[in-house]
Amino acid sequence: MENQNLNLLDRALGLDGPSEPWPLSGRVVLIEDCVETSGSFVLHQLVKRSLSPTSSNVIIFVAFANPFSHYDRILRKLGCNLVTQRDNKRFIFFDMLMLRCPDVDEGKSSEGGLVLLYEKILKTICGLPGDKKDYVTIMIDDISLVEVAANGGSDYVLDFLHYCHALTSEFDCSLITLNHEDIYSSMERPTLILQMEYLADILIKAEPLSTGLATDVHGQVWLSDYLSSQRT
Amino acid sequence: MADTICRTLRDGGLEGEHAPALTIKDSKASPFGFDVFNYVLTQLSNHILAGKSQSRGLVVVAYSRSPSFYVDLLKRRGIDIASSHDWIHILDCYTDPLGWKNRLIDKDISQEASSLSSFCQDVRNLDKLYSLIIEQGKGLIGQGKDRFSIAIDLVSEMVRHASISSVAGILSNLRSHDQVSSIFWLLHSDLHEIKFTSVLEYLSSMVASVEPFNQAAFGQRVDLENLSMLEQNFRKGKFHVRFKRRNGRVRVMCEEILVELAGIKFTPVLSEDEIINQRLLPKVQFNLQLSEEERNERAKVVLPFEHQGNGKPIQIYDGRRSLGENKEEALVSTGKLQPDEDSGKGQIIYFRDSDDEMPDSDEDPDDDLDI
């Protein structure tokens, strides 16, 4: 049952076919989840598919939520060795757990920290060999913690996401982000999550079943593809 | 109706008049505003190239897409601007809006601007942005009295970096510039307070709203029952347009939109639905419309100074005395109204030149008034 569900997700994203050209090239994917139903499994599945032996993808993984060992353990169970991929320069891990912008002169420090992160991503892409530069996937786990690192400066987070979005246009890379929808559900106008939904080409929502909790089915996944009249 | 919008932008404004301004607004419930924007952009570009529009150039202020996106978009629509672009310029507020790339030490990473586009690396400075837009526009049309049009792909992004008043100020200044023929912009209404949306609508002569096809389905959880309705909302929508005429009258029209791979299509509202094509009347406590009975009664009213030719004397009630008391006097007085060439006294001869015109006809006779 689980394999069938994963295959449905792969089919919906176009990942069940040939790996090249990468179906998600130049596209922005937003994964939304909540406390009751985590969407991390979608991110892990996309890591596994991106690093399949038949593809040339390189992942730049910006981790605010968990250390490398966490993802390594999970992906091993899915049949993917992240240590080997890291050594092969196909999985580039940015450990951002300790990024905390100082309180002094909050605004400039928060923005400055994200500017440096953007610069690091850009230089990493530009430093890749020519044949790999066109197959980059940027993954960010997760945006709510980027906001925490920026001392709640959601405007700076949006600026950072805008620049990452510009990278998809400049280098034809993919951008995959995760955010928690229920954090913003109590706000009258949840600007950050709405702005992210506007930026996204594909929205994947993980939510609990309408019938409630079940032992063997943890929730449902809903995928919206805002194609394609806007793409060549 | 979408073509009506495009024609209005094509025709531009009269001398001394503010340029026609279009606000396109949508929301997450029906996110097709950008498709509408692209449609209007393509149509206006075709008019400019064909020499049919008042404007001779187009400045695209790109906040949400790269210049290459617009090059590809117009190319797919049959307009190759890569080879011939002396009529269009793209102000790139997308690639490096805050100068982050410009700060990088390694200048090899920084991009070179092309002749088709130029960078704006400080979108917070709206005075500078205004100058850039005018400068690029004048560069397209030369020194003469020609005009150019402006397209801003996302005002929602513009207001993230500046205050509402300064954004309203720049839009108003652009609209009132004597070399701007027309201007249009896109707005995601659910990202802003109603105040900001209202400000932009007030600045606009046309407001085009994209709304969900199935309003009831929006916001609900996805399940098998409402899945088909939600799917419809991802391909279809409703398109409401409010036109403000020169004389202040407002007209509202509605169409349906269908988004396909090839682009967006506008179709009239289906016959089983009520066609919404109404004039907007002010909400007052008195009735501005006439019923059938009232129309008949009005037709029976004898107009002053009109002769019905039935031989009877005309009685005119002056409101101060009752008709019965002064009937003889009135008859005598009105008798003098009969044409009498020998008496040498003044008279009024009234000829009705035409029947009444309905006040809300399509062709408004006041449209050509220079007010």
Side-chain angles (χ1 to χ4, degrees), chain A residues 111 114-115 118-119 122-123 126 155-156 158-160 162-163 165-166 168-170 189 191 194-195 197-198 207-210 220 222 224 226-232, chain B residues 26-28 31 34-35 63-66 69 72 76 94-101 103-104 109 111 124 157 160-161 188 190-193 221-222 234 259-261:
Chain A
E111 187 188 20
L114 293 175
V115 173
Y118 165 74
E119 184 180 340
L122 179 60
K123 284 187 171 173
C126 293
D155 277 340
Y156 303 124
L158 285 171
D159 293 340
F160 170 71
H162 177 93
Y163 272 87
H165 188 278
T168 67
S169 176
E170 186 176 349
R189 197 170 46 254
T191 309
L194 273 177
Q195 288 270 18
E197 289 183 6
Y198 275 115
E207 49 192 22
L209 295 173
S210 57
Q220 62 185 17
W222 172 37
S224 309
Y226 299 111
L227 246 202
S228 49
S229 57
Q230 303 178 13
R231 293 279 170 181
T232 306
Chain B
D26 69 352
S27 64
K28 212 65 197 99
F34 197 64
D35 297 275
Y63 274 92
S64 69
R65 294 291 187 276
S66 65
F69 170 84
D72 292 340
R76 288 200 306 276
Y94 168 81
T95 304
D96 192 14
L98 303 171
W100 288 12
K101 288 181 87 171
R103 294 185 213 177
L104 295 175
I109 296 176
Q111 278 187 314
R124 293 173 179 141
E157 191 65 19
R160 271 206 327 106
H161 304 291
H188 299 314
D190 49 357
L191 292 177
H192 310 290
E193 295 175 2
R221 280 179 58 90
V222 181
F234 285 130
V259 178
E260 298 173 330
L261 278 173

Side-chain angles (χ1 to χ4, degrees), chain B residues 61-310:
Chain B
V61 186
Y63 274 92
S64 69
R65 294 291 187 276
S66 65
S68 59
F69 170 84
Y70 289 106
V71 172
D72 292 340
L73 170 75
L74 291 174
K75 192 172 181 181
R76 288 200 306 276
R77 304 284 189 267
I79 304 172
D80 185 6
I81 67 174
S83 55
S84 168
H85 48 78
D86 55 351
W87 59 275
I88 186 170
H89 189 87
I90 301 172
L91 195 53
D92 185 357
C93 300
Y94 168 81
T95 304
D96 192 14
L98 303 171
W100 288 12
K101 288 181 87 171
N102 204 34
R103 294 185 213 177
L104 295 175
I105 300 171
D106 187 354
K107 290 296 180 188
D108 289 340
I109 296 176
S110 302
Q111 278 187 314
E112 298 286 333
S114 69
S115 58
L116 172 62
S117 65
S118 55
F119 290 116
C120 175
Q121 291 172 321
D122 186 10
V123 295
R124 293 173 179 141
N125 187 341
L126 290 187
D127 290 335
K128 190 175 175 189
L129 179 66
Y130 173 84
S131 303
L132 279 173
I133 294 171
I134 299 300
E135 179 190 324
Q136 295 301 335
K138 285 182 177 177
L140 291 174
I141 59 175
Q143 295 297 323
K145 286 194 173 179
D146 288 335
R147 301 192 189 189
F148 62 95
S149 293
I150 302 169
I152 304 175
D153 71 355
L154 200 52
V155 171
S156 296
E157 191 65 19
M158 189 188 249
V159 81
R160 271 206 327 106
H161 304 291
S163 65
I164 293 176
S165 57
S166 50
V167 170
I170 185 178
L171 294 178
S172 180
N173 290 340
L174 286 171
R175 200 188 160 204
S176 58
H177 194 282
D178 53 10
Q179 283 188 285
V180 173
S181 169
S182 58
I183 181 170
F184 63 102
W185 53 74
L186 172 63
L187 167 79
H188 299 314
S189 59
D190 49 357
L191 292 177
H192 310 290
E193 295 175 2
I194 295 176
K195 180 174 78 169
F196 179 62
T197 311
S198 301
V199 164
L200 292 193
E201 290 182 11
Y202 190 75
L203 282 174
S204 312
S205 53
M206 295 178 285
V207 178
S209 309
V210 182
E211 294 174 9
F213 191 74
N214 290 310
Q215 184 69 41
F218 174 65
Q220 291 186 1
R221 280 179 58 90
V222 181
D223 54 41
L224 292 174
E225 291 174 3
N226 64 9
L227 187 61
S228 62
M229 283 205 301
L230 282 169
E231 280 181 336
Q232 269 195 323
N233 279 352
F234 285 130
R235 292 180 296 109
K236 289 184 175 183
K238 288 187 179 163
F239 189 59
H240 294 273
V241 182
R242 196 169 74 228
F243 298 90
K244 257 190 256 176
R245 294 174 174 272
R246 290 189 173 96
N247 57 9
R249 290 192 180 139
V250 177
R251 190 174 177 188
V252 176
M253 300 184 75
C254 182
E255 278 183 333
E256 287 181 359
I257 53 177
L258 175 65
V259 178
E260 298 173 330
L261 278 173
I264 192 169
K265 282 185 183 173
F266 299 90
T267 54
V269 177
L270 294 176
S271 58
E272 51 260 31
D273 301 326
E274 190 178 353
I275 296 175
I276 302 171
N277 189 3
Q278 60 191 13
R279 276 107 180 125
L280 204 65
L281 294 173
K283 291 178 184 170
V284 294
Q285 291 179 344
F286 49 88
N287 189 11
L288 294 177
Q289 304 280 15
L290 291 177
S291 65
E292 192 61 39
E293 187 184 342
E294 286 169 337
R295 282 199 202 97
N296 292 335
E297 291 297 320
R298 189 174 82 164
K300 293 178 188 172
V301 169
V302 176
L303 294 177
F305 314 121
E306 250 196 355
H307 299 272
Q308 272 68 44
N310 54 11

Side-chain angles (χ1 to χ4, degrees), chain A residues 97-122:
Chain A
L97 264 70
M98 300 310 294
L99 175 67
R100 287 293 182 269
C101 302
D103 290 333
V104 175
D105 200 6
E106 266 186 29
K108 288 189 179 171
S109 297
S110 301
E111 187 188 20
L114 293 175
V115 173
L116 289 173
L117 176 58
Y118 165 74
E119 184 180 340
K120 194 174 173 183
I121 295 172
L122 179 60

